[in-house]
């Protein structure tokens, strides 16, 4: 007897689940494996956030079903965060929606906004859920071209007219995972104009807004003129506050889009545990000193990785954001071949670029979310392989 919807046959294995499987096999064989594959921060959630959670758990009022849309105080805190961080004024009741992590929010975009058989424009390399969410929803994806020559800025303007005629949504994300590219505000302005012209919902995944280096400050797309007419933006506590396991995020922007996404969510989930919402409020509105200290650690790791890769003859993007390094595969290897070589010979996990989309061929991604001493050891092992 066989079970399963046929659409799942089109869904590739989830990248990080495959990484975990290979790691576990090697560990079972007694090997010391260092994973630079997954962007799960190694640093703990900040103390003041944990302390707030402890207090919130003791409040019996938080033990009941949470609000589908997010507690009013949570949505208000999200709106205050947007005002303080970006100068963006939002109506907390109609333009903010709580998410159980931004991954959940992204997956629910597809049933909310894209009909089966219609298109979503997605980055040529990007977070795998951008494509997987569409497959599960029986909708189609169009990969917007991205490459080093165009600064890893998704070329939405190259979309063929026949696809645009059936497109309903476009997803962008800057600072970008996996390439670590950043986008100038002029690019956002072009994207907004394009979305308005073609009747697209423009979704900006801003999960790495707070992980930036060298004085760069990431913007919100909602700062730009006309954005509120066609855009929603996703924010998460996961990387900014080392809260990946807490599953707390929010969507903000166009009120009608927020309402539609809320309809889907209210039929699927029961919202974020209210105590977690209280902890996230502390993250958004509490002291931000720990964020700056965390960024300094990531920048130190970034510099070490870039220096080592340069010594190995491997070209990498000098990132100004995210917790990733995007680097070219040594000549003579595909992305998958090189990742396999590093895994089997150095016992280090790196992510092949093709796991993120068709334009990732020839590249690999290194995560900086590993204790510094283990990161340096992994780099030494990779360096010992040489560049051949």
């Amino acid at each position: 007897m066989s079970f399963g919807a046929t659409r799942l046959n089109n869904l590739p294995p989830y990248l990080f689940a495959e990484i975990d499987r290979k790691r576990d096999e090697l560990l079972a064989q007694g090997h010391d494996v260092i994973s630079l594959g997954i962007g799960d921060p190694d640093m703990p959630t900040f103390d003041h956030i944990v302390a707030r959670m402890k207090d919130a758990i003791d409040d019996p009022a938080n033990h009941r079903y949470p609000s589908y849309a997010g507690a009013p105080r949570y949505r208000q805190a999200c709106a205050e965060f947007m005002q303080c961080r970006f100068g963006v004024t939002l109506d907390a009741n109609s333009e903010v929606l709580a998410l159980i992590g931004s991954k959940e929010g992204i997956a629910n975009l597809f049933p909310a906004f894209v009909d089966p058989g219609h298109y979503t424009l997605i980055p040529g390399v990007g977070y795998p859920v951008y494509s997987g969410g569409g497959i599960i929803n029986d909708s189609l994806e169009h990969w917007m071209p991205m490459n080093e020559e165009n600064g890893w800025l998704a070329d939405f303007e190259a979309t063929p007219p026949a696809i645009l005629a059936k497109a309903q949504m476009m997803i962008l994300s800057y600072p970008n995972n996996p390439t670590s590219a950043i986008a100038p505000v002029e690019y956002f302005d072009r994207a907004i104009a394009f979305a308005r012209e073609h009747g697209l919902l423009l979704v900006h995944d801003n999960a790495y807004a707070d992980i930036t280096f060298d004085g760069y400050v990431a913007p919100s797309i909602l700062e730009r003129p006309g954005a509120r007419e066609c855009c929603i933006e996703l924010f998460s506590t996961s990387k900014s506050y080392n809260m990946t396991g807490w599953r707390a995020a929010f969507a903000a922007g166009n009120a009608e889009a927020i309402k539609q996404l809320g309809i889907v969510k209210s039929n699927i989930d029961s919202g974020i545990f209210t105590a977690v919402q209280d902890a996230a409020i502390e993250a958004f509105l509490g002291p931000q000193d720990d964020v700056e200290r965390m960024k300094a650690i990531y920048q130190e790791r970034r510099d070490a990785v870039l220096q080592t890769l340069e010594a190995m003859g491997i070209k990498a993007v000098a990132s100004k954001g995210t917790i990733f390094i995007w680097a070219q595969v040594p000549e003579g290897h595909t992305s998958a071949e090189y990742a396999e070589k590093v895994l089997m010979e150095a016992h280090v996990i790196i992510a092949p670029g093709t796991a993120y989309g068709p334009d990732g061929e020839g590249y690999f991604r290194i995560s900086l979310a590993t204790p510094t001493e283990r990161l340096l050891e992994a780099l030494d092992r990779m360096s010992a392989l040489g560049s051949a």
Side-chain angles (χ1 to χ4, degrees), residues 70-91:
R73 62 182 181 273
Y74 178 76
R75 284 178 281 137
Q76 185 59 45
C78 295
E80 289 181 28
F81 168 82
M82 292 295 292
Q83 180 66 57
C84 294
R85 175 70 171 76
F86 302 106
V88 171
T89 302
L90 295 168
D91 183 328

Side-chain angles (χ1 to χ4, degrees), residues 25 56 97 132 159 178 198 249 271 294 300 311 322:
E25 287 179 356
L97 179 70
T159 305
H198 297 286
M294 176 187 66
E300 178 183 300
T322 80

Side-chain angles (χ1 to χ4, degrees), residues 171-212:
I171 302 176
L172 300 176
S173 179
Y174 295 96
N176 178 259
N177 170 25
T179 69
S180 74
I182 59 175
V185 293
E186 294 80 8
Y187 175 80
F188 287 140
D189 290 342
R190 284 170 36 217
I192 292 165
F194 183 84
R196 293 172 67 183
E197 178 184 356
H198 297 286
L200 304 174
L201 174 69
L202 175 52
V203 179
H204 185 234
D205 181 6
N206 210 352
Y208 296 91
D210 294 313
I211 313 297
T212 56

Side-chain angles (χ1 to χ4, degrees), residues 192 196 202 221-232 253-254:
I192 292 165
R196 293 172 67 183
L202 175 52
I221 199 169
L222 297 177
E223 298 176 42
R224 307 309 302 166
R228 299 276 269 283
E229 296 180 29
C230 63
C231 297
I232 62 171
N254 180 273

Side-chain angles (χ1 to χ4, degrees), residues 130-145:
Y130 301 156
S131 57
I135 292 171
I136 292 173
N137 192 54
D138 284 335
S139 60
L140 305 172
E141 73 270 355
H142 170 71
W143 301 90
M144 297 179 286

